[in-house]
C-alpha cells in the first residue's frame, strides 16, 4: 500500500523539525555581537578617547554596524521574516526604512531650527550665552523699608 504525504504533514515537519539548532545558532551570534559591543564601549571609556578623535568615531561606527547586524538577526529569526518571500520582506522593510529616515530628518530639522534661532535672534543669543551675575539676597531690613 502506498502512503500519501499531505501538504500539512510537510509544512509541519519543516517548521518544527530542527529548530533548536537554529535557535542556538542565533542566540550564540546575538550573544557574541553583544559582548563585542560591550567590550568596545568599555574600551572607549577605559582608554578615555577624546571626543571627535578618529579612533572614537571609528569605534562608534563599528558599534552601530554591530547593532544593525543584531537588529537583522532579531527581525529575521524572532519575527520570522528570514523564511518569508521577498515581497513580504520588502513590505515590512521599506516602511521601517522610511520610519528611520523620518526620525533622522526630524532630528536634523530640529537641530537646524535651533541653530538658526540662535544665529538670527541676537537677543536670544545674548541671553543664553552671557553669564548673568547672581542676585544678592535681599536683607530683612531692606524688605521692611521697601514695604513702608
Amino acid at each position: 500500500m502506498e502512503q500519501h504525504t499531505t501538504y500539512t504533514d510537510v509544512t509541519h515537519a519543516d517548521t518544527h523539525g530542527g529548530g533548536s539548532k537554529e535557535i542556538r545558532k542565533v542566540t550564540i551570534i546575538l550573544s557574541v555581537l553583544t559582548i563585542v559591543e560591550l567590550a568596545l564601549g568599555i574600551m572607549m571609556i577605559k582608554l578615555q578617547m577624546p571626543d571627535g578623535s578618529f579612533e572614537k568615531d571609528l569605534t562608534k561606527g563599528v558599534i552601530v554596524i554591530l547593532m544593525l547586524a543584531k537588529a537583522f538577526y532579531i527581525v529575521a529569526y524572532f519575527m520570522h521574516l528570514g523564511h518569508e518571500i521577498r515581497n513580504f520582506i520588502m513590505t515590512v522593510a521599506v516602511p521601517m526604512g522610511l520610519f528611520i529616515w523620518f526620525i533622522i530628518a526630524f532630528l536634523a530639522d530640529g537641530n537646524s531650527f535651533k541653530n538658526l534661532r540662535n544665529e538670527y535672534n541676537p537677543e536670544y543669543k545674548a541671553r543664553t550665552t552671557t553669564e548673568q551675575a547672581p542676585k544678592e539676597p535681599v536683607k530683612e531690613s531692606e524688605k521692611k523699608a521697601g514695604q513702608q
Side-chain angles (χ1 to χ4, degrees):
M1 228 186 196
E2 209 173 303
Q3 193 174 27
H4 296 287
T5 305
T6 63
Y7 176 74
T8 55
D9 294 336
V10 172
T11 55
H12 181 74
D14 289 343
T15 56
H16 294 292
S20 61
K21 282 185 179 180
E22 191 174 27
I23 290 173
R24 258 189 234 114
K25 177 184 151 192
V26 172
T27 303
I28 290 170
I29 289 172
L30 291 174
S31 298
V32 168
L33 290 174
T34 302
I35 290 168
V36 171
E37 285 176 2
L38 288 172
L40 288 172
I42 291 170
M43 182 185 71
M44 264 190 343
I45 293 171
K46 293 289 183 184
L47 295 178
Q48 296 179 351
M49 294 179 180
D51 288 336
S53 69
F54 175 74
E55 293 84 12
K56 189 168 190 172
D57 291 341
L58 180 68
T59 306
K60 286 180 180 181
V62 170
I63 290 173
V64 168
I65 291 170
L66 292 173
M67 287 171 48
L68 290 173
K70 279 181 20 180
F72 165 77
Y73 274 104
I74 290 169
V75 169
Y77 290 101
F78 295 117
M79 295 177 69
H80 307 290
L81 284 181
H83 304 291
E84 294 293 338
I85 60 173
R86 186 175 184 270
N87 288 340
F88 183 70
I89 293 171
M90 289 300 137
T91 302
V92 174
V94 170
M96 183 61 68
L98 289 173
F99 181 70
I100 292 168
W101 177 67
F102 287 146
I103 290 172
I104 293 169
F106 288 137
L107 288 173
D109 187 48
N111 189 39
S112 172
F113 177 76
K114 180 188 74 159
N115 292 338
L116 288 174
R117 180 175 163 187
N118 288 343
E119 184 176 330
Y120 292 115
N121 188 353
E123 182 180 310
Y124 179 80
K125 188 174 185 177
R127 192 173 63 228
T128 58
T129 58
T130 58
E131 288 190 27
Q132 307 248 337
K135 293 183 179 179
E136 294 181 18
V138 180
K139 297 178 183 174
E140 290 296 322
S141 59
E142 292 175 3
K143 282 185 184 178
K144 290 180 183 175
Q147 291 175 354
Q148 292 177 355

